[in-house]
């Protein structure tokens, strides 16, 4: 499918989704987010092993497009923010590992995208901010995802002050997995995604969805859920083949599943 605001390409075994609004700093207009939702759902139904989320131009994403917002009424704003929430939920729901490749500024909902992706690699030139705290409109929804990545105190510092953090701080705080030199960003992002997608697609999809289902549960419920998922997943053909291959000291044959 052809999109106006994004590009979707194949990068070997993975899909590459690029926000392609460099002239608008890759801001997340409603139409752009709807295209991203459609693209992620299509990728989720396909055979890609992982997804790289990137941005064109000098900025990863400057967040919401204020051109959509300046005259929007309450109903329009609810619809816009519901679309953004659906985008974040879609990233979490697809079975593939989604990795953010962050080369530049990631602000507000752009920072929310980074926090939502399963993994993130940042160039040493990248910066991250929730700037609403120093203006008149607080970054309420971006803070939901950022808090789950960096914890309460650090999220409150980011959201209350609005001050940007550099890539090294983002890695230290847990917003990104690692920081690399800008020239190495594409290679290092792909290398991490290749390692994160080893194993069978079915088992990795169950692992991702199972993780998000249990991670915020109280400990007894988390163990109960994970125990049932692990027991059930032991019965799928790939799990049985992997166990047999280990016992028989041979390479597993997963066929083309």
């Amino acid at each position: 499918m052809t999109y106006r605001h994004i590009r979707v390409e194949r990068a070997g075994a993975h899909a590459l989704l690029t926000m392609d609004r460099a002239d608008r700093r890759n801001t997340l207009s409603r139409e752009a987010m709807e295209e991203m939702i459609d693209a992620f759902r299509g990728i989720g139904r396909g055979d890609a092993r992982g997804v790289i989320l990137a941005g064109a131009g000098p900025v990863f994403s400057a967040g919401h497009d204020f051109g959509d917002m300046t005259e929007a009424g309450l109903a329009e704003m609810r619809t816009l923010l519901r679309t953004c929430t659906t985008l974040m939920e879609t990233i979490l729901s697809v079975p593939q590992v989604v990795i953010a490749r962050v080369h530049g500024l990631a602000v507000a909902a752009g920072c929310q995208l980074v926090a939502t992706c399963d993994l993130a690699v940042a160039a040493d030139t990248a910066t991250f901010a929730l700037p609403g705290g120093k203006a008149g409109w607080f970054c309420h929804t971006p803070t939901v995802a950022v808090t789950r990545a960096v914890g309460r105190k650090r999220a409150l510092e980011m959201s209350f002050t609005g001050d940007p953090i550099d890539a090294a701080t983002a890695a230290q705080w847990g917003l990104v997995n690692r920081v690399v030199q800008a020239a190495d960003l594409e290679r290092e992002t792909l290398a991490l995604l290749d390692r994160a997608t080893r194993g069978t697609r079915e088992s990795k999809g169950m692992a991702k969805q199972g993780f998000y289902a249990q991670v915020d549960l109280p400990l007894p419920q988390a163990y109960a859920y994970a125990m049932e998922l692990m027991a059930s997943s032991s019965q799928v053909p790939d799990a049985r083949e992997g166990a047999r291959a280990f016992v028989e000291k041979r390479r597993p044959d997963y066929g083309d599943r």
Side-chain angles (χ1 to χ4, degrees):
M1 182 177 292
T2 301
Y3 297 106
R4 287 185 58 202
H5 304 294
I6 64 173
R7 298 195 314 268
V8 180
E9 306 161 85
R10 192 69 180 225
H14 310 301
L16 171 62
L17 193 161
T18 304
M19 295 175 284
D20 196 20
R21 305 184 81 212
D23 59 326
R24 300 287 297 173
R25 296 163 63 88
N26 295 323
T27 48
L28 300 173
S29 67
R30 179 179 173 186
E31 185 176 349
M33 291 189 291
E34 287 173 344
E35 288 186 357
M36 292 175 72
I37 292 166
D38 183 76
F40 271 114
R41 287 174 175 170
I43 293 167
R45 293 189 296 268
D47 64 354
R49 297 187 65 85
V51 189
I52 299 168
L53 176 62
V59 171
F60 177 77
S61 174
H64 286 298
D65 189 337
F66 276 25
D68 288 354
M69 296 178 160
T70 52
E71 303 300 327
L74 180 59
E76 291 175 275
M77 285 302 304
R78 282 174 173 159
T79 299
L80 182 68
L81 293 170
R82 191 176 298 116
T83 302
C84 184
T85 299
T86 299
L87 170 59
M88 305 302 163
E89 291 173 340
T90 302
I91 291 171
L92 296 176
S93 71
V94 297
Q96 289 92 347
V97 177
V98 181
I99 188 167
R101 192 178 76 194
V102 190
H103 66 288
L105 188 65
V107 175
C111 189
Q112 182 182 3
L113 273 175
V114 177
T116 299
C117 288
D118 306 309
L119 303 171
V121 178
D124 52 9
T125 52
T127 54
F128 306 83
L130 299 177
K134 59 182 179 182
W137 190 29
F138 195 77
C139 290
H140 296 285
T141 49
T143 301
V144 172
V146 173
T147 301
R148 283 159 171 75
V150 306
R152 293 188 182 191
K153 300 297 187 189
R154 288 165 171 167
L156 286 171
E157 179 178 341
M158 288 184 70
S159 58
F160 282 170
T161 67
D163 293 338
I165 60 172
D166 61 19
T169 303
Q172 181 184 356
W173 287 7
L175 184 59
V176 302
N177 293 85
R178 66 199 56 187
V179 178
V180 300
Q181 292 186 349
D184 299 329
L185 179 61
E186 290 190 19
R187 186 186 72 234
E188 292 295 332
T189 301
L190 185 58
L192 177 57
L193 186 58
D194 281 340
R195 296 196 302 277
T197 53
R198 289 182 292 208
T200 65
R201 289 197 299 261
E202 183 179 36
S203 66
K204 197 56 61 75
M206 286 189 288
K208 173 177 172 174
Q209 294 175 344
F211 175 83
Y212 289 118
Q214 63 81 23
V215 67
D216 291 320
L217 293 175
L219 192 63
Q221 289 93 317
Y223 267 119
Y225 175 87
M227 180 183 67
E228 181 57 32
L229 178 60
M230 194 160 187
S232 299
S233 63
S234 72
Q235 303 304 297
V236 304
D238 286 344
R240 289 186 174 277
E241 167 60 15
R244 290 193 190 98
F246 180 81
V247 170
E248 296 168 7
K249 297 181 173 55
R250 61 174 174 81
R251 293 178 64 85
D253 179 12
Y254 296 121
D256 194 29
R257 290 189 291 273

